[in-house]
Amino acid sequence: MATKYRILIIDDEEVVLDSCTLILAGGNYQLATAKNGNLGLELAKEFQPDLVFVDLKMPGISGLEVLERIRDLDPNIVSIVITGYATVSSAVEAMKNGAYDFLPKPFTPDEFRLITQRGLDRRRLVLETITLRKEKEMLRENFAAIVSHELKSPLGAVQQNLFVLEYELEDKLNEEQKEKIERMKSKINDLINLIHTWLRVISVDVKKLQESFKPTSIPAVIAKAVENVQPQAIRKNIEIVPTVQEPLRFVNGDEGTLVEVVGNILHNGIKFSREGSRIQIKAEEKENTLIISIADTGIGISKEDLPYIFEDFYTGDTGPIVEKSSGLGLAIAKRIVEAHNGSISVESELGRGTTFTILLPVQ
Amino acid sequence: MNTQKQLLIIDDDPDFVAGIKSVLEKAEYSVDVAYNPKDGFQALQSKPYDLLLLDIMMGRGAEGVAIARKLRKDPKLRELPVLIITGIREQIAFLFPGQPVHPHFVELDELVEKPVEPKLLLEKVSTLLKMAEEKKSQKKG
């Protein structure tokens, strides 16, 4: 890379500063030195170093404190501590507090060059990671707009025109023709819903969700979720049995998304259950934790699939009896539960059924 | 005076517009269309309309929102009922986090999602028109 890296060395021994400057002379660096912590910190603010060497043992403010204040200044500055052999343990302490490496005194020019190179490599990686993370975030934000405009709008327009055709031809179409239109409408509707689900995945913004948290009643969440999936359950003659062990305290959370989570798991349970079976949903409180468990006696999940079911787009080999799915429902559920500082887990036995357990901290 | 109601659609998607325009015309409304916010606002100032059908996501973002803001500020247009038609629920939530889906951009508005069933569309349009008329007569009274 063509950019000149900036290196700051803070050490009270003039010999060290001089020799370090000498060793790095001629390299593609910009160098600055300071002979105590205060001067070093002052310098760090305007010099904006990529890499800082800090002597741990200095008169005035200690090296450890200098390190800490540099980190407050910019946590992405790479720091390396210089230390005598006798103070290796404090070097370890410094590394626990975020220093990248340590350089024991006395050191040879080669050792110093090597550790400088390592430190700068580290800095390059840190900077690259930051850029990548920013790009990913931008992509995530823009993706929502792209998906909605480029995919959903045309599909919506097709559906709209189909609606109108059906409406305008209402008394001219025969039953068979009407059925064909119904079929088209329903397929397009599936596609639109799929796009909605994708959008939902990328738009679950954990921070924004947490801003709207308030005391939430879990029995109410369960009641709403059960109500939402009741039509499918009735169609398959599946009974959903809720058991709430009162008293339950409130959970600090967002009711809408929690209903989504429970509803999604219930919906899966119905999908993978045989006609006429039961799904048990229980809520209880134990040791400041609210436990919601949802158990079906359906086809179960194989051991091979189990570790992956919370991943994006994972649908597993669900066999022929099941409708297709986007493979995103559980991924969204996991994200939502984790935004509530909770956890979600699953136990399953092939042919016997599946139990999902959601743990949420009580206020 | 002509009792036919004058409607204006502002939406940048001609395919979608075709799908709702014919429904409205069949129901005896007179319908004008503007395919971008600029033309739309000009049309609003050129003649009086009874109702505006407004798309939210146009061009590079929520340009429909900008129109709604302009309407609010305009003393003549402030009372124009608006049927907001939007592709995406989530995007309304993006724009107005923490608010219920019904945005209340202007005094009288309603929200439908794209695509919209013709019956629902006609129902919303006639409800809004009725509400606007009631409001007018209240003021006169």
Side-chain angles (χ1 to χ4, degrees), chain A residues 10 36-37 41 52-70 79-82 90 94 99:
Chain A
I10 308 171
N36 64 49
L41 284 170
V52 181
F53 287 93
V54 183
D55 186 13
L56 279 186
K57 265 199 147 169
M58 290 184 290
I61 62 170
S62 76
L64 276 178
E65 202 186 327
V66 173
L67 275 181
E68 210 183 296
R69 299 215 341 226
I70 283 177
S79 54
I80 295 173
V81 295
I82 305 174
S90 50

Side-chain angles (χ1 to χ4, degrees), chain A residues 288-302:
Chain A
N288 292 326
T289 304
L290 230 144
I291 305 165
I292 306 168
S293 63
I294 300 159
D296 67 53
T297 54
I299 60 169
I301 305 165
S302 73

Side-chain angles (χ1 to χ4, degrees), chain A residues 218-219 222 241-248 280-285 290-294:
Chain A
I218 291 303
I222 291 176
V241 189
T243 320
V244 174
Q245 250 178 50
E246 297 280 8
L248 287 183
Q280 306 267 358
I281 172 161
K282 278 187 204 155
E284 58 185 325
E285 189 183 322
L290 230 144
I291 305 165
I292 306 168
S293 63
I294 300 159

Side-chain angles (χ1 to χ4, degrees), chain A residues 25 29 33 65 115 229 262 284 317:
Chain A
Y29 316 110
T33 57
E65 202 186 327
I115 203 162
V229 297
V262 175
E284 58 185 325
D317 181 17

Side-chain angles (χ1 to χ4, degrees), chain A residues 301-308 348-350:
Chain A
I301 305 165
S302 73
K303 274 201 185 75
E304 293 79 45
D305 285 338
L306 215 46
Y308 304 108
S348 188
E349 201 177 329
L350 219 48

Side-chain angles (χ1 to χ4, degrees), chain B residues 86-124:
Chain B
T86 172
I88 284 186
R89 225 172 314 168
E90 272 84 347
Q91 280 180 344
I92 288 286
F94 283 151
L95 297 169
F96 308 98
Q99 285 184 31
V101 168
H102 193 141
H104 289 295
F105 283 126
V106 289
E107 219 166 287
L108 266 183
D109 61 11
E110 273 270 15
L111 189 98
V112 290
E113 255 184 277
K114 274 184 188 181
V116 50
E117 288 271 10
K119 280 187 188 124
L120 181 69
L121 176 70
L122 292 176
E123 207 182 285
K124 295 263 179 189

